[in-house]
Amino acid sequence: MRLFKTLAGLRCYLETARWRSLPVGLASPEEKGKLRQSPKAVIGFVPTMGALHPGHCSLIRRARQENELVVVSIFVNPLQFAPGEDLHSYPQTLEADQEVCRQLGVDVLFTPDAAALGINGEPLTQVMPPAPVLQVLCANSRPHHFPGVTTIVFKFLNLIQPDRLYLGQKDAQQLAILQRMVQDLNLPVEIVPCPTVREVSGLAYSSRNQYLTPEQRLEAVHLSQALQQAEQLFRRGERWANPLVTTVREHLLQHPALALEYVELVHPVTLTPLEEIVETGLLAIAAKLGQTRLIDNVILRSRSPIIAIDGPAGAGKSTVTRLVAEKLGLIYLDTGAMYRAVTWLVLQSGISLADEPAIAELVSQSSIELISTHAAPVVKINGVDVTQAIRSPLVTSQVSAIAAQKAVRQQLVQYQRHLGANGGLWRRVGISLPMFSRKQS
Ligand code: AMP
């Protein structure tokens, strides 16, 4: 594992290490130029403020599984603390953190100080999230916090240029705001949300738990217990915000050591306050225990599960998937048919299969329909029924080349997610969406 404290060291290392076929430190500019055609190492990035705990470790492990290079940062970002908050007392356990990172197979640990990042008290260009996401949850009591987070993460993304950014669901508002930043500013990174890791008691791991006395730890458990009670109510069919929020409040009223700051129900992606959960809701809570501010949340989801079935060609995936979907009352989404439809379109258009930018442009301007029937689904692209045509030997011979193109995959995955989110609608009538629609439902 390499440890860097400066931008110069980090940049120099990454410039060579990201070209995986090149031994680090040996690449001349000419060699690098030649390699521009070859695939780059995939980089996963986990930003943290240190005092690493099992929650952080879950993000790092996931990054290790999914990427060739893993970069972890430890930086207690002054921009996200207001005067009087715990910037100067925030737990620092750098030696232990280094050991944790080494054990987890991290490639680079980046631990700059504020000066190294050009943060010196002078006014700084900032990344400002849109006003509505700053009018809910933690932003009401910590108005400077999220602009500080977006600014520093933007800086890190520019420096490291990772392919994937790993963030915890524990900080649900931060996750939603960073997802929004990546979308609004077209940043070329995929955000990977990771579930909240909890102690056996249910208390979510947090570096700030170190501030708690043993007695306070016993009280802190009631945050997750209150959320669990609301979750049970939701499982029994309650969809209205009021009873769900009241359940949490009433539970916490019995534990006056916990000074409740807020309990709110919002949409997990847009953070818009919800009166009723139609599909998903984020029930989030913040409370103070002595001087320690704790947050927790639960996602309440009424959506059907998504089951993915994969296997070699000709193994019977489509048949099995259709049967499983029928039995469980789920939607059958034949992603293979979507790639075939795009392949058919490219072949029709006369664009060379090697011209990836032209194909990306073509696909992003097209619309696709998968209409569920009792037999195989009807597939239409740009209004043309291609259900039969996509099974031709020519399409079959070219589909893997098209499916290997990153831009095609990105657009179809985005489209499939959209279909998943609109599952009920799709099942009833079939839907047609521009494949490049970025709007969340
Ligand atoms: P922090 O060091 O608190 O800034 O957190 C760094 C990253 O770890 C953020 O993406 C957090 O959401 C994530 N994280 C913190 N606590 C947990 C937890 N208990 N479970 C999962 N992720 C977490």
Side-chain angles (χ1 to χ4, degrees):
M1 184 178 81
R2 301 294 301 261
L3 177 73
F4 296 108
K5 293 178 184 303
T6 68
L7 270 51
L10 177 78
R11 275 200 165 126
C12 181
Y13 175 85
L14 287 177
E15 245 172 51
T16 30
R18 74 171 74 241
W19 301 102
R20 61 182 155 202
S21 44
L22 227 55
V24 171
L26 297 182
S28 67
E30 298 76 42
E31 281 170 314
K32 274 189 228 160
K34 274 190 236 144
L35 279 163
R36 292 223 172 260
Q37 294 305 319
S38 65
K40 280 193 306 182
V42 179
I43 301 182
F45 173 45
V46 185
T48 81
M49 298 208 298
L52 300 184
H53 53 64
H56 296 117
C57 294
S58 71
L59 273 58
I60 298 173
R61 272 197 202 93
R62 175 109 188 245
R64 183 65 286 166
Q65 278 165 12
E66 297 178 351
N67 302 278
E68 285 146 297
L69 275 179
V70 175
V71 180
V72 173
S73 66
I74 294 181
F75 179 58
V76 184
N77 172 25
L79 301 178
Q80 66 191 61
F81 288 80
E85 290 186 342
D86 57 344
L87 171 64
H88 299 295
S89 54
Y90 197 85
Q92 307 249 8
T93 58
L94 189 56
E95 262 184 40
D97 291 351
Q98 276 187 53
E99 191 47 37
V100 168
C101 288
R102 206 171 279 123
Q103 297 278 336
L104 293 175
V106 168
D107 296 294
V108 177
L109 180 58
F110 183 44
T111 60
D113 61 16
L117 290 173
I119 299 171
N120 50 19
E122 295 292 313
L124 194 75
T125 304
Q126 296 225 13
V127 179
M128 187 57 71
V133 301
L134 297 181
Q135 286 158 4
V136 291
L137 311 178
C138 293
N140 284 323
S141 65
R142 306 186 76 196
H144 303 295
H145 179 70
F146 293 107
V149 171
T150 44
T151 300
I152 204 67
V153 173
F154 189 82
K155 239 166 136 50
F156 280 143
L157 292 178
N158 280 333
L159 277 167
I160 297 163
Q161 299 185 14
D163 298 273
R164 301 197 181 97
L165 171 64
Y166 292 80
L167 298 171
Q169 182 64 51
K170 156 85 170 26
D171 297 275
Q173 187 171 18
Q174 168 174 289
L175 171 64
I177 287 176
L178 290 174
Q179 278 173 324
R180 183 71 191 268
M181 174 182 87
V182 163
Q183 179 175 317
D184 286 355
L185 301 181
N186 303 104
L187 304 182
V189 65
E190 177 195 350
I191 291 190
V192 182
C194 301
T196 303
V197 180
R198 299 176 181 280
E199 296 181 1
V200 179
S201 66
L203 177 64
Y205 281 105
S206 162
S207 306
R208 289 192 168 97
N209 291 355
Q210 294 191 17
Y211 298 144
L212 301 176
T213 63
E215 295 74 31
Q216 286 177 325
R217 274 180 171 269
L218 296 176
E219 290 294 325
V221 168
H222 291 289
L223 287 180
S224 61
Q225 287 187 357
L227 290 170
Q228 272 171 25
Q229 286 200 349
E231 193 176 11
Q232 280 164 16
L233 193 60
F234 177 76
R235 296 271 157 256
R236 293 200 295 271
E238 185 57 73
R239 294 291 179 268
W240 292 99
N242 245 337
L244 294 167
V245 166
T246 306
T247 298
V248 174
R249 281 188 188 285
E250 282 178 356
H251 184 96
L252 293 179
L253 273 177
Q254 297 160 33
H255 302 279
L258 280 162
L260 186 62
E261 185 185 297
Y262 68 76
V263 196
E264 288 179 44
L265 181 71
V266 298
H267 189 281
V269 175
T270 63
L271 301 181
T272 315
L274 296 180
E275 280 182 19
E276 182 192 2
I277 299 176
V278 176
E279 193 178 88
T280 53
L282 166 72
L283 187 60
I285 183 174
K288 266 196 155 178
L289 198 49
Q291 291 304 303
T292 309
R293 187 174 178 278
L294 298 172
I295 57 172
D296 201 351
N297 69 78
V298 65
I299 300 273
L300 303 174
R301 210 185 302 271
S302 60
R303 193 173 79 183
S304 305
I306 296 171
I307 301 172
I309 298 185
D310 201 0
K317 296 185 293 285
S318 306
T319 315
V320 171
T321 311
R322 210 164 28 239
L323 289 172
V324 170
E326 245 176 60
K327 280 253 184 261
L328 299 181
L330 300 174
I331 306 152
Y332 164 45
L333 184 63
D334 184 354
T335 53
M338 297 170 96
Y339 284 105
R340 283 174 172 273
V342 167
T343 306
W344 178 88
L345 185 68
V346 172
L347 291 170
Q348 286 290 309
S349 69
I351 294 173
S352 156
L353 291 184
D355 191 347
E356 292 196 23
I359 293 174
E361 184 128 312
L362 177 74
V363 174
S364 68
Q365 289 171 332
S366 302
S367 72
I368 194 164
E369 280 172 273
L370 291 175
I371 300 164
S372 187
T373 64
H374 284 300
V378 170
V379 186
K380 290 188 180 180
I381 191 154
N382 294 339
V384 181
D385 185 338
V386 291
T387 314
Q388 300 301 324
I390 61 171
R391 304 289 159 192
S392 75
L394 183 58
V395 169
T396 303
S397 66
Q398 303 298 342
V399 65
S400 52
I402 293 289
Q405 298 191 6
K406 191 174 169 191
V408 173
R409 278 205 315 278
Q410 277 174 344
Q411 287 179 19
L412 285 188
V413 165
Q414 202 175 5
Y415 181 58
Q416 286 152 13
R417 284 189 184 138
H418 200 115
L419 283 177
N422 289 283
L425 174 65
W426 182 73
R427 181 167 34 189
R428 281 200 302 277
V429 297
I431 59 169
S432 165
L433 289 169
M435 282 192 274
F436 202 50
S437 163
R438 282 187 154 261
K439 289 232 168 341
Q440 293 291 334
S441 59

